[in-house]
Amino acid sequence: LEILLAEHSGFCFGVKRAIQMAKDASHQNQPIYTIGPLIHNPQMVNDLKEQGILLAEHPEALHDATVIVRSHGISKAEREMLVKNSNRIIDATCPYVCKAQDFVKLLCLEGYAVIIMGDKTHPEVTAMLSYCDENTSVVSNADELPEQTWNKLGVISQTTKNMAALRDLVQKLVPNVKELRLFNTICSATTLRQEATTALAKKSDLMVIIGGHNSSNTRMLAALCAGITETLHVETAVEIGLEQVSAKHSIGLTAGASTPDYLIVDVYNRINELTGDRTSVKSVEDIPVNKEESC
Amino acid sequence: LEILLAEHSGFCFGVKRAIQMAKDASHQNQPIYTIGPLIHNPQMVNDLKEQGILLAEHPEALHDATVIVRSHGISKAEREMLVKNSNRIIDATCPYVCKAQDFVKLLCLEGYAVIIMGDKTHPEVTAMLSYCDENTSVVSNADELPEQTWNKLGVISQTTKNMAALRDLVQKLVPNVKELRLFNTICSATTLRQEATTALAKKSDLMVIIGGHNSSNTRMLAALCAGITETLHVETAVEIGLEQVSAKHSIGLTAGASTPDYLIVDVYNRINELTGDRTSVKSVEDIPVNKEESC
């Protein structure tokens, strides 16, 4: 049995930055609060809790507190409320998400109707929407596009969406627009991770996707792999049973942008243990990586 | 044998307008000159000659003359030369082509690199290019796109190109751009004509495409039909022989934007004559039109 990890797995730049900013702030010996989970990974959120980084149950009740804005960003109204209540804000919004927010503001200001490709309820999208006017709509993919024509249409994407889906959406719009202004806000980490994952899936009997079931980008990895080979999406190692990994010759691992390295290590060791291999690693750097050129 | 004419065949709005402007001007009892053929149809150009509308062999030699700018437009340098030489300009540039020129100017002014989908040597495209800077390139289709990335890319099309080709070009660009601003300058007459032609081709044993061999939009109709059924591109009726139309059950006719009605009538009558049918019509209005919903 060969177990390989896809390149570009795990924490992205924005997530690493948000966690570092939270940890730096927690040195101040007073709790700091996050509006929504800091990252979309329940295990990591529990770890942070032990370091005094707490999920605010009622953000509107926070006064004079230290509050961290997570990498997805927050809505205009939430930000205004936090400021009004004299909280100190540490803004860990991913710089790529900030850019997407700026672009959506620009499009609205310049009179474009806007289509956001994303998940209606994802915090990144709801934050974006808070800066838009009523001429903005959210669609998951090309199939959800309304049958209409536009004089001036802006298009933008949630940063962790799939490039092929954006291409499909844009080409479908072309005959129905006089002007289309696309800001391609899919972040490069997302694209690289998806490409490396796809390449590994093509040569694996089984792909194990590690990450929060509430993580949009992790679910996207699972969906991509499911179209190629047998696929298992787990949050932690214990979810994997012998029946799933026995009789496999090649297992591929990948992890979403909000999956900490130790969960990847746990999964790798668990599969080896289940299949009777004594190999056990301490660090993600010790797991063999699939170095094949991505597609 | 059934012979049907595709809807939206023949002169488009811009061509009708240019011919009317030329004829109106020719009432002044002095020759008027066109820079390049007024429309891309040799037969029509000959007819106009008899009405005193002459093709200028050496535009730079024109002084104090009446000059008509054809529907394709002319380059910035040509216009400046005509003005400098005290000519009176009648501007019959198609309003849709004017718009495309305005958009290309806007894109250059706002710092976009520009890709024009069109024929490098077509007068509409060379006129557009004269308003661009060195960051502009012309491609016929998606296959000719350079392998590179762009921060700010503008895309525009020759007005008579195919919508599916533009969709394909744009979708291919999506992963390689941060911002893409498309002005969809394909004119609706072109799209309607192509759709109606495709619909008729699907139910015809033979499609006869009538129009100048030098007409871009006519050649596009021929290319579309050739993918569907047996196709014949002719400028005039005499090019059709018995061997091409005998043993056919349904023949479809269509004509480019620069094809005058009488050439369509000639072709219709010629096919009937060759196949032994005595039917002869005087006007294009008497030819049965394929009224099926276009695709």
Side-chain angles (χ1 to χ4, degrees):
Chain A
L1 171 66
E2 184 181 47
I3 310 176
L4 290 174
L5 178 64
E7 282 189 289
H8 311 291
S9 293
F11 281 176
C12 67
F13 156 77
V15 166
K16 274 186 199 155
R17 179 173 169 272
I19 292 170
Q20 195 55 50
M21 285 173 82
K23 286 185 176 171
D24 289 350
S26 74
H27 293 164
Q28 296 166 356
N29 282 333
Q30 60 170 2
I32 67 167
Y33 294 93
T34 69
I35 310 299
L38 186 60
I39 62 171
H40 273 166
N41 186 278
Q43 291 67 40
M44 191 72 196
V45 168
N46 271 336
D47 294 351
L48 291 168
K49 202 169 169 180
E50 287 167 19
Q51 298 178 50
I53 300 160
L54 310 177
L55 176 62
E57 302 282 346
H58 302 286
E60 65 285 3
L62 293 173
H63 282 80
D64 203 26
T66 301
V67 178
I68 186 153
V69 173
R70 58 182 170 173
S71 55
H72 302 311
I74 54 174
S75 74
K76 196 178 169 190
E78 282 175 309
R79 189 179 290 269
E80 285 170 353
M81 180 197 67
L82 291 173
V83 170
K84 189 172 147 243
N85 291 343
S86 310
N87 295 290
R88 289 169 298 285
I89 297 178
I90 300 166
D91 191 350
T93 308
C94 169
Y96 298 122
V97 173
C98 283
K99 261 196 184 171
Q101 287 180 359
D102 287 343
F103 289 143
V104 96
K105 282 180 219 172
L106 175 88
L107 288 171
C108 291
L109 196 68
E110 296 198 358
Y112 292 83
V114 177
I115 285 178
I116 300 173
M117 187 180 83
D119 303 325
K120 279 185 186 62
T121 57
H122 193 281
E124 185 185 321
V125 174
T126 53
M128 268 193 208
L129 277 172
S130 73
Y131 293 102
C132 297
D133 57 28
E134 70 284 0
N135 287 320
T136 305
S137 47
V138 182
V139 299
S140 311
N141 54 51
D143 295 336
E144 292 184 4
L145 285 173
E147 292 277 345
Q148 67 172 97
T149 59
W150 293 268
N151 280 328
K152 288 179 70 171
L153 179 67
V155 174
I156 208 155
S157 174
Q158 189 178 328
T159 58
T160 52
K161 285 289 158 192
N162 176 257
M163 195 67 81
L166 185 60
R167 290 167 84 157
D168 188 40
L169 182 128
V170 168
Q171 67 84 17
K172 198 169 167 190
L173 286 169
V174 168
N176 301 324
V177 295
K178 290 205 174 134
E179 181 189 346
L180 184 150
R181 194 165 174 188
L182 163 75
F183 287 100
N184 182 347
T185 49
I186 295 177
C187 82
S188 58
T190 297
T191 302
L192 289 172
R193 188 182 305 109
Q194 289 179 0
E195 287 179 353
T197 296
T198 303
L200 181 54
K202 285 179 181 164
K203 52 196 265 187
S204 302
D205 295 336
L206 172 72
M207 281 296 291
V208 180
I209 321 296
I210 312 155
H213 290 302
N214 61 346
S215 157
S216 171
N217 81 85
T218 308
R219 287 204 310 264
M220 177 64 79
L221 293 176
L224 282 174
C225 290
I228 301 169
T229 188
E230 192 181 329
T231 298
L232 192 59
H233 176 181
V234 300
E235 279 189 356
T236 60
V238 295
E239 294 171 52
I240 304 170
L242 176 59
E243 69 285 2
Q244 288 156 327
V245 293
S246 63
K248 294 287 185 288
H249 295 100
S250 54
I251 296 180
L253 307 182
T254 190
S258 47
T259 305
D261 285 351
Y262 74 84
L263 290 175
I264 303 174
V265 168
D266 284 355
V267 165
Y268 181 78
N269 290 339
R270 167 82 172 175
I271 297 172
N272 274 330
E273 194 192 319
L274 286 169
T275 55
D277 187 324
R278 295 290 186 91
T279 313
S280 172
V281 300
K282 290 230 163 64
S283 153
V284 78
E285 279 75 32
D286 301 327
I287 302 175
V289 171
N290 179 41
K291 285 287 186 186
E292 187 190 20
E293 277 293 292
S294 59
C295 55
Chain B
L1 171 66
E2 184 181 47
I3 309 175
L4 289 174
L5 178 64
E7 283 190 289
H8 310 292
S9 294
F11 281 176
C12 68
F13 156 76
V15 167
K16 274 186 199 155
R17 179 173 169 274
I19 291 170
Q20 194 56 52
M21 286 172 81
K23 286 186 176 171
D24 289 350
S26 74
H27 291 168
Q28 296 166 359
N29 282 335
Q30 57 170 5
I32 66 168
Y33 294 93
T34 70
I35 310 297
L38 186 61
I39 64 171
H40 273 166
N41 187 279
Q43 291 67 40
M44 191 72 196
V45 168
N46 272 337
D47 293 351
L48 291 169
K49 202 170 169 180
E50 288 167 18
Q51 298 178 51
I53 301 160
L54 310 178
L55 176 62
E57 302 282 345
H58 303 286
E60 67 281 5
L62 292 172
H63 281 80
D64 203 26
T66 300
V67 178
I68 186 153
V69 172
R70 57 183 170 174
S71 55
H72 301 311
I74 53 174
S75 74
K76 199 178 165 189
E78 283 175 308
R79 189 179 291 269
E80 285 169 355
M81 179 196 69
L82 291 174
V83 170
K84 189 173 147 245
N85 291 342
S86 310
N87 297 290
R88 289 169 297 285
I89 297 177
I90 300 167
D91 192 349
T93 308
C94 169
Y96 297 123
V97 173
C98 284
K99 261 197 183 172
Q101 289 181 357
D102 287 343
F103 290 143
V104 98
K105 283 181 218 171
L106 175 88
L107 288 170
C108 291
L109 196 69
E110 296 198 357
Y112 292 84
V114 176
I115 286 177
I116 301 173
M117 187 180 86
D119 304 325
K120 278 185 186 64
T121 57
H122 192 281
E124 186 185 321
V125 174
T126 52
M128 269 193 206
L129 277 172
S130 73
Y131 293 102
C132 298
D133 57 29
E134 69 286 359
N135 287 318
T136 305
S137 46
V138 182
V139 299
S140 310
N141 54 51
D143 295 337
E144 292 185 5
L145 285 173
E147 290 277 345
Q148 68 171 97
T149 59
W150 293 268
N151 281 328
K152 288 179 71 173
L153 179 67
V155 175
I156 207 155
S157 175
Q158 188 178 330
T159 58
T160 51
K161 286 287 156 191
N162 176 258
M163 194 68 81
L166 184 61
R167 291 167 83 158
D168 188 38
L169 181 129
V170 169
Q171 70 84 18
K172 197 168 169 192
L173 286 168
V174 168
N176 302 326
V177 294
K178 290 203 174 135
E179 181 188 347
L180 185 150
R181 194 164 175 189
L182 162 76
F183 289 100
N184 182 346
T185 48
I186 295 177
C187 82
S188 59
T190 296
T191 303
L192 289 172
R193 187 182 307 109
Q194 290 179 359
E195 288 178 353
T197 296
T198 303
L200 180 55
K202 285 179 181 164
K203 52 195 265 189
S204 302
D205 295 336
L206 171 71
M207 281 297 290
V208 179
I209 320 297
I210 311 153
H213 289 302
N214 61 345
S215 157
S216 172
N217 82 84
T218 307
R219 287 203 311 263
M220 176 65 77
L221 294 176
L224 282 174
C225 290
I228 301 169
T229 190
E230 192 182 328
T231 298
L232 191 60
H233 177 181
V234 300
E235 280 190 355
T236 59
V238 294
E239 295 172 50
I240 304 171
L242 176 60
E243 68 287 0
Q244 289 155 328
V245 294
S246 62
K248 296 288 186 286
H249 294 98
S250 54
I251 295 179
L253 306 182
T254 190
S258 46
T259 305
D261 286 350
Y262 75 84
L263 290 175
I264 305 174
V265 169
D266 283 354
V267 165
Y268 182 78
N269 289 339
R270 166 84 173 172
I271 297 172
N272 274 330
E273 194 192 319
L274 285 169
T275 55
D277 187 325
R278 297 287 187 92
T279 312
S280 171
V281 299
K282 290 231 164 61
S283 153
V284 77
E285 278 76 31
D286 299 328
I287 302 176
V289 170
N290 179 40
K291 285 288 189 187
E292 188 188 20
E293 276 294 291
S294 61
C295 56

